[in-house]
Amino acid sequence: MSMKNLFSNFKGDLFGGITAGIVALPLALAFGVSSGMGPSAGLYGAIFISFFAALFGGTNTQISGPTAPMTAVSMVVIAGIVATNDGSLEKALPAILVVFLLAGLIQISLGLLGIGKYIRYIPYPVVSGFMTAIGVIILVTQILPTIGYYPKEDIEFVNNFKPMAEEIILENILKEEAGEGILVLEDFKETISRADEITEEATLKEAQTLANSEASGVIGALKVLPRALNNIIWLELILAISTIIIIYGFKKITTAIPSALVALIVVSGVAYGFDLNYRTIEQIPSGFPMPNLGIFTEFELGSITPYVFTALTLALLGAIDSLLTSVVADNMTKTKHKPNKELVGQGIGNSIAAIFGGIPGAGATIRTVVNINAGGKTKLSGMVAGILLLIVLLALGPIASQIPAAVLAGILVTVGIGVMDYKGLKAIPSLPKDLSLGPIKFSSEVVIMLVVLVLSSVWNLVYAVGVGLVIASLMFMKKMGDLTAEHSNVKSLEKEVNWPDEAAFPLSLQEEVFIKHLKGPLFFGSTSEFQQMADQIPETASTVIIRMGRMQYMDQSGLYTLEDVLISLRKSGISILFVDVLKQPRYMMERVGVIPDLIPEEQIFDSFDECLIWVKSNVKDQFVTS
């Protein structure tokens, strides 16, 4: 983009970037705390990803930064590496940042290899289950800080882990000696003398690490919940609940000012002004962020190897997260993003953020929408958002360090509630039961979503998505096998060619009526081509006929894509007619209300001849010459 184009919408981009930056501030701090690396890591991530992903990316209006899904996976990475480094974040930091840097470099590689266009093949139920699981993880893990309970500060709980802590310390001494060649029978005195060095302080520190580990994740949080409920710090709970009430309540007054920021300022101001004895967030370092050169000098390759797959997952998740937001931006601005360029931009942003000690991120839907609505149109808006956050860091770092931890926990609770896929959850009862296990019938789409949701919540986010994709692929192959046995001439969507029975279509109405043929299944792999249908419609068209006689199957992804296109056409004042809708697609459309809410029965025809009679009666030639 040339400098002239970059500043072509300066006022709109300035206002859009500032507004998006203000929305991003409380979330960046909250995601940083939630990740385990502290509020400054969230702020650094937001600053560098926002600026560089905008500068090098392929979506002009995209605002990037830490997001709920990226933070949830980062949390797992951070907790795992810290646990193998004696519970010390400082010792673990170089290895953690190398994983984040690796994720950024993988994203750059994906973009350069042209993988961006294949991201759309992730089926909707997998994305739906994953997003709902992210919401569950954030909600459950924030229960403890919301009520002011921190496991490593509960002395009675920590004491339970002291025997195990002593065993681990002794085991580490034996491993060290084995590596040094000291551990031999005649020199066992060395072991005894080292064992005497197991201090109460070292044991307590290891026990606190074990206690934290025991209470981490969804299962861990639920395990210690009864104990936590007996140790509620009421001030912390009141601060968190006040934050949540303001976030939801202020939205009803106005959406012009971000409610999360209002909650952050009001509740923090009251807590600080009345000198309440609240828990603050970690100190935010003042001054410009400095690169963490330890990632190039202090880490051991062996400590990274187990996390290469996780780095790949972070990269792919960031790619999906960003490109889904890019599609939203496209729909709002009537532009078209460049997926591979966007991946390169995201990768550069995440790589630089990692070098400066920030957590990884992706394109953020809410921040992008806010930017567009506030007037942002070019890459400058994302860069402005990053610069604004840097100014906040430099000018307000010490003040931000006084924010109550409970306020950020309250903000995260609202993020957890908001990130869940309610559209997918509401559809569960209505989706067709297309598979059977003996007498029990169930929906394959629901099974995939629930498997991903449950496994992500209680087991592993990374593996859950993999399992979901495998199940989705197997079920899809079975369905396609069944269908192709019945219909051997299944073809994908292709360029429009008139069918024989359209030869008699009136020439005078060919500019007003656009005919779309659907051939073969409308599923998660073909939705992108169908979305392009709106671009094919000439401006003169007032009516669209969609012929479905050769579309035997539609999955949930296809259903929602069709719904979005129909809503868009309706908004443009275009009449839509369906011809020869087959049993399974009709059933899907009826279950979610596409039929009759968007397409009433009188606009559905069994044959093209019946449709033609309606067209001749209802569509007028707009280009009649007098």
Side-chain angles (χ1 to χ4, degrees):
M1 175 177 272
S2 68
M3 291 298 285
K4 186 180 176 183
N5 288 340
L6 189 64
F7 292 99
S8 61
N9 183 48
F10 183 75
K11 188 178 176 183
D13 290 333
L14 186 66
F15 193 61
I18 289 171
T19 312
I22 289 169
V23 172
L25 176 62
L27 295 174
L29 295 169
F31 286 139
V33 171
S34 172
S35 73
M37 278 175 64
S40 53
L43 206 46
Y44 294 165
I47 290 165
F48 291 106
I49 299 166
S50 180
F51 187 89
F52 288 103
L55 180 60
F56 295 106
T59 314
N60 286 346
T61 51
Q62 181 113 291
I63 304 290
S64 303
T67 62
M70 292 295 276
T71 305
V73 177
S74 300
M75 208 190 300
V76 176
V77 178
I78 294 160
I81 299 180
V82 166
T84 58
N85 282 271
D86 306 326
S88 167
L89 177 62
E90 194 178 340
K91 279 174 70 177
L93 194 57
I96 291 167
L97 296 180
V98 167
V99 174
F100 295 163
L101 174 61
L102 187 58
L105 296 174
I106 291 171
Q107 281 186 321
I108 294 171
S109 304
L110 292 175
L112 294 175
L113 292 169
I115 306 294
K117 60 187 176 185
Y118 297 108
I119 298 294
R120 66 173 183 262
Y121 290 104
I122 305 289
Y124 182 84
V126 175
V127 176
S128 174
F130 181 79
M131 293 308 292
T132 303
I134 295 295
V136 170
I137 291 166
I138 291 174
L139 274 177
V140 175
T141 55
Q142 289 309 305
I143 292 173
L144 303 185
T146 296
I147 59 179
Y149 181 79
Y150 293 84
K152 69 177 183 181
E153 294 172 14
D154 182 348
I155 301 301
E156 194 181 327
F157 181 61
V158 170
N159 285 341
N160 295 331
F161 296 91
K162 279 190 172 178
M164 195 190 303
E166 288 173 356
E167 283 178 26
I168 289 170
I169 293 169
L170 184 58
E171 194 178 312
N172 288 339
I173 288 171
L174 294 173
K175 279 180 185 172
E176 279 176 28
E177 291 186 350
E180 294 167 16
I182 295 172
L183 193 58
V184 288
L185 285 174
E186 57 266 25
D187 202 12
F188 208 67
K189 290 176 183 175
E190 176 70 22
T191 306
I192 295 166
S193 73
R194 287 196 187 188
D196 287 340
E197 294 171 15
I198 301 175
T199 62
E200 180 65 27
E201 187 185 349
T203 306
L204 177 63
K205 191 177 176 185
E206 185 64 43
Q208 284 178 324
T209 302
L210 290 169
N212 249 3
S213 181
E214 179 72 12
S216 68
V218 171
I219 299 292
L222 293 175
K223 270 187 196 172
V224 299
L225 187 58
R227 184 175 190 86
L229 292 172
N230 289 325
N231 292 276
I232 295 175
I233 297 175
W234 292 102
L235 173 61
E236 300 289 314
L237 181 59
I238 290 166
L239 291 174
I241 290 173
S242 303
T243 303
I244 294 166
I245 290 170
I246 292 172
I247 287 173
Y248 287 122
F250 195 79
K251 281 179 184 173
K252 293 182 179 177
I253 299 169
T254 177
T255 54
I257 305 168
S259 59
L261 185 74
V262 173
L264 180 76
I265 293 170
V266 170
V267 181
S268 301
V270 169
Y272 184 76
F274 285 92
D275 199 21
L276 302 178
N277 185 27
Y278 63 89
R279 182 191 188 96
T280 60
I281 59 174
E282 290 172 36
Q283 191 72 25
I284 297 174
S286 54
F288 196 88
M290 299 304 291
N292 191 317
L293 301 177
I295 63 176
F296 301 110
T297 58
E298 294 174 23
F299 78 95
E300 294 176 12
L301 191 60
S303 64
I304 307 299
T305 312
Y307 294 96
V308 169
F309 183 62
T310 311
L312 177 62
T313 306
L314 265 173
L316 289 172
L317 176 60
I320 296 162
D321 212 357
S322 301
L323 294 180
L324 286 175
T325 304
S326 296
V327 171
V328 172
D330 283 354
N331 289 337
M332 290 184 70
T333 58
K334 306 303 176 195
T335 55
K336 190 151 181 64
H337 72 283
K338 297 172 182 172
N340 294 316
K341 191 177 180 187
E342 182 60 37
L343 289 189
V344 171
Q346 292 292 333
I348 291 171
N350 278 316
S351 301
I352 294 173
I355 292 168
F356 282 88
I359 59 172
T365 307
I366 293 170
R367 280 159 265 177
T368 301
V369 169
V370 164
N371 174 41
I372 294 166
N373 288 338
K377 285 184 181 176
T378 78
K379 292 168 177 283
L380 185 64
S381 54
M383 294 158 71
V384 166
I387 293 166
L388 175 77
L389 292 170
L390 179 60
I391 293 168
V392 168
L393 171 69
L394 297 176
L396 304 175
I399 297 171
S401 298
Q402 299 302 314
I403 294 169
V407 169
L408 296 188
I411 290 171
L412 283 167
V413 166
T414 64
V415 170
I417 293 168
V419 82
M420 291 187 190
D421 180 40
Y422 296 102
K423 188 176 184 178
L425 290 171
K426 282 178 187 171
I428 287 177
S430 58
L431 289 170
K433 294 177 171 60
D434 52 357
L435 291 174
S436 57
L437 192 65
I440 304 168
K441 289 194 169 185
F442 50 88
S443 164
S444 58
E445 311 269 355
V446 173
V447 168
I448 295 163
M449 192 187 79
L450 292 179
V451 165
V452 174
L453 168 57
V454 172
L455 293 184
S456 295
S457 302
V458 302
W459 180 41
N460 185 298
L461 281 163
V462 180
Y463 301 149
V465 172
V467 170
L469 286 173
V470 169
I471 296 173
S473 301
L474 291 172
M475 288 185 174
F476 174 72
M477 285 190 283
K478 181 186 181 302
K479 286 174 188 171
M480 288 304 97
D482 293 345
L483 283 170
T484 48
E486 294 174 38
H487 309 272
S488 58
N489 190 27
V490 174
K491 294 178 183 176
S492 62
L493 298 172
E494 57 190 37
K495 196 175 178 183
E496 302 307 320
V497 176
N498 284 351
W499 287 358
D501 58 351
E502 292 164 15
F505 195 89
L507 283 172
S508 60
L509 295 179
Q510 284 186 358
E511 286 182 314
E512 285 79 13
V513 180
F514 177 81
I515 302 172
K516 175 71 183 173
H517 309 101
L518 297 185
K519 291 167 279 189
L522 183 60
F523 70 107
F524 61 83
S526 63
T527 53
S528 150
E529 288 91 341
F530 183 73
Q531 280 173 325
Q532 292 168 12
M533 168 186 150
D535 299 330
Q536 297 173 4
I537 299 172
E539 291 180 7
T540 55
S542 62
T543 304
V544 170
I545 299 172
I546 303 179
R547 302 197 62 178
M548 299 184 169
R550 298 185 194 176
M551 187 188 76
Q552 309 88 355
Y553 172 76
M554 172 194 288
D555 74 354
Q556 198 176 359
S557 303
L559 175 65
Y560 289 142
T561 301
L562 175 68
E563 184 184 25
D564 289 343
V565 169
L566 295 178
I567 289 170
S568 176
L569 292 175
R570 280 274 297 264
K571 280 182 181 174
S572 302
I574 293 174
S575 301
I576 306 136
L577 311 176
F578 280 178
V579 177
D580 194 11
V581 185
L582 298 180
K583 187 177 177 183
Q584 192 273 348
R586 184 180 184 110
Y587 181 71
M588 290 286 281
M589 288 187 279
E590 285 174 346
R591 299 298 277 182
V592 299
V594 169
I595 299 174
D597 295 351
L598 287 175
I599 310 295
E601 290 291 344
E602 58 267 28
Q603 286 173 225
I604 302 172
F605 304 94
D606 292 333
S607 70
F608 187 72
D609 288 341
E610 289 177 19
C611 178
L612 196 53
I613 293 168
W614 188 95
V615 168
K616 287 175 179 176
S617 303
N618 293 276
V619 180
K620 304 300 177 197
D621 183 0
Q622 298 172 28
F623 299 89
V624 178
T625 52
S626 54

